[in-house]
Amino acid sequence: MALIQYITQIQFDFGAIALLRQECERVGITRPLLITDAGVRDAGLLQRALDRLTGWPVAVFDQTPSNPTEAAVRAAASLYRNGACDGLIALGGGSAIDCAKGVAIAATHEGPLTHYATIEGGSARITERVAPIVAVPTTAGTGSEVARGAILIVDDGRKLGFHSWYLVPRAAICDPELTLGLPARLTAATGMDAIAHCMETFMAPAFNPPADGIALDGLARGWAHIERATRDGSDREARRQMMSASMQGAMAFQKGLGCVHSLSHSLGGVDPRLHHGTLNALFLPAVVSFNALAPSMVQEHRLARMAQAMGLDSASDIPAALHDMNARLGLPAGLGALGVQATQFDRVIQGALADHCHKTNPRLAEPDDYRHMLQACL
């Protein structure tokens, strides 16, 4: 049975941050905990949000790590409870938004966070008691502002997914103006994250034609504009198109992802210093090549359809085009440049096999397949 569900209210435009108070009030938030990180604070974006909430008691947690942890969730949940907060504002990239989703669970549900992880059977334990979230992305990458999932590093070191329709933010404020001037390297890495979402969910075999259409359109927008956005941080049209690609990738990936994400989730747990979007960019070429022979890919001409969206002549051009794009964007040439070593592969493979994205890949990967992909990306 195919479950097709869309999604939340989205305010999308330059200057949409002006609607922050209105959207909070609409969903019943008047005493928010605002979750962000030090980079967003230092860029002045936290103050821009607070200026829209003048007169409200607003608690702030600005210590979200680049890969959010259960410890950070606990600290923020304590602030939430102590401040008698009635909802969350997530301001930042995927890390801040995912951290907020963890807090939405932890502040309203008993027990350790792991109890609610997808691979632990925890999705059904997440209830309507979750704290409401208004999400304001400041990067164009994860699309977590319209997604039902969060990725968090739990206390035992695993990087796990948490999924529930109750975790979808009640409102998303997508203001491309907040991404103007984002550093080139971060623009590139988050932009390739969005492209990876569009590509992986389109390759996933589940039946969801609306998701396929949204993903292909998002891929076309992202592929056509990521270089412009990376090269010129003030290019408003490129920023608008990348924010749309990010949003669309996450709207679509309710259909499922695949080996790119099972590998990047696992490796990100092994080494939390690594950036998720950068890992996705590096894994994409090898995974596309691996998926090329999957029956659903061949029968439905999925690679050819992606190639068309990317403006390429043939499906066989996709892996090389991804390599070339990564190079033009200034991303690392391979995992080795990030300090990853072959001695870590066994742990990465073990985690990838257990990841919630593993079984939604169009071709089921065996341990040796993952090893080959890792070696090809080294």
Side-chain angles (χ1 to χ4, degrees):
M1 180 68 68
L3 176 62
I4 300 171
Q5 188 166 332
Y6 285 90
I7 281 187
T8 192
Q9 178 161 305
I10 304 164
Q11 300 282 3
F12 192 115
D13 201 359
F14 288 93
I17 187 69
L19 301 176
L20 178 57
R21 188 186 190 107
Q22 167 192 305
E23 289 301 293
C24 286
E25 290 175 337
R26 184 181 63 81
V27 302
I29 299 173
T30 59
R31 298 179 61 88
L33 170 63
L34 194 155
I35 294 183
T36 189
D37 60 53
V40 171
R41 179 198 64 210
D42 293 345
L45 299 181
L46 170 59
Q47 190 58 52
R48 288 179 65 177
L50 292 174
D51 288 345
R52 300 294 177 181
L53 304 172
T54 302
W56 277 9
V58 182
V60 175
F61 178 80
D62 61 4
Q63 298 301 309
T64 303
S66 57
N67 282 286
T69 62
E70 186 171 358
V73 166
R74 273 198 304 274
S78 178
L79 278 179
Y80 184 94
R81 289 188 293 266
N82 291 340
C85 297
D86 58 7
L88 298 154
I89 298 171
L91 176 71
S95 297
I97 300 173
D98 282 6
C99 186
K101 291 177 182 179
V103 176
I105 300 169
T108 56
H109 292 64
E110 297 297 325
L113 202 56
T114 309
H115 185 61
Y116 302 96
T118 301
I119 65 169
E120 301 288 346
S123 293
R125 302 181 188 119
I126 300 172
T127 73
E128 71 280 358
R129 296 196 311 276
V130 297
I133 302 170
V134 172
V136 188
T138 61
T139 65
T142 71
S144 189
E145 70 274 6
V146 297
R148 73 187 193 280
I151 304 297
L152 302 163
I153 298 177
V154 296
D155 286 341
D156 64 15
R158 289 181 295 165
K159 194 171 188 178
L160 300 183
F162 298 76
H163 297 84
S164 169
W165 292 107
Y166 295 120
L167 290 178
V168 178
R170 305 285 183 86
I173 297 176
C174 295
D175 185 347
E177 193 168 286
L178 301 181
T179 70
L180 294 174
L182 196 70
R185 183 68 171 267
L186 191 55
T187 299
T190 55
M192 286 303 297
D193 191 17
I195 286 170
H197 292 157
C198 291
M199 295 183 76
E200 272 224 292
T201 199
F202 184 72
M203 290 187 287
F207 181 80
N208 192 326
D212 286 341
I214 292 168
L216 269 188
D217 184 79
L219 172 59
R221 292 173 189 273
W223 191 258
H225 291 90
I226 188 170
E227 285 186 89
R228 279 176 54 181
T230 300
R231 184 172 59 249
D232 180 1
S234 64
D235 187 326
R236 292 173 67 86
E237 179 60 15
R239 293 294 184 177
R240 184 171 75 97
Q241 296 289 353
M242 290 308 301
M243 181 157 277
S244 183
S246 174
M247 176 189 70
Q248 289 175 248
M251 290 176 72
F253 68 43
Q254 61 173 275
K255 179 175 176 252
L257 292 166
C259 290
V260 169
H261 280 76
S262 54
L263 284 167
S264 61
H265 291 158
S266 180
L267 181 52
V270 171
D271 187 347
R273 299 171 303 168
L274 301 176
H275 185 270
H276 175 72
T278 301
L279 295 180
N280 283 348
L282 297 183
F283 286 133
L284 259 176
V287 173
V288 169
S289 296
F290 174 73
N291 286 346
L293 298 179
S296 62
M297 297 285 287
V298 174
Q299 294 163 8
E300 299 175 22
H301 309 289
R302 289 192 173 264
L303 283 184
R305 293 161 70 187
M306 286 198 301
Q308 183 179 30
M310 298 164 74
L312 304 175
D313 292 333
S314 94
S316 61
D317 294 335
I318 294 177
L322 289 166
H323 275 297
D324 292 345
M325 179 64 82
N326 287 340
R328 293 199 302 274
L329 295 175
L331 292 174
L335 297 174
L338 299 174
V340 177
Q341 299 179 6
T343 54
Q344 297 172 299
F345 286 180
D346 286 344
R347 287 181 63 197
V348 176
I349 293 166
Q350 182 182 17
L353 289 166
D355 189 76
H356 64 276
C357 294
H358 167 66
K359 292 184 178 179
T360 54
N361 198 66
R363 183 181 172 197
L364 195 62
E366 301 293 338
D368 285 347
D369 297 319
Y370 276 128
R371 192 175 302 278
H372 178 77
M373 286 184 257
L374 285 163
Q375 191 63 49
C377 298
L378 194 57

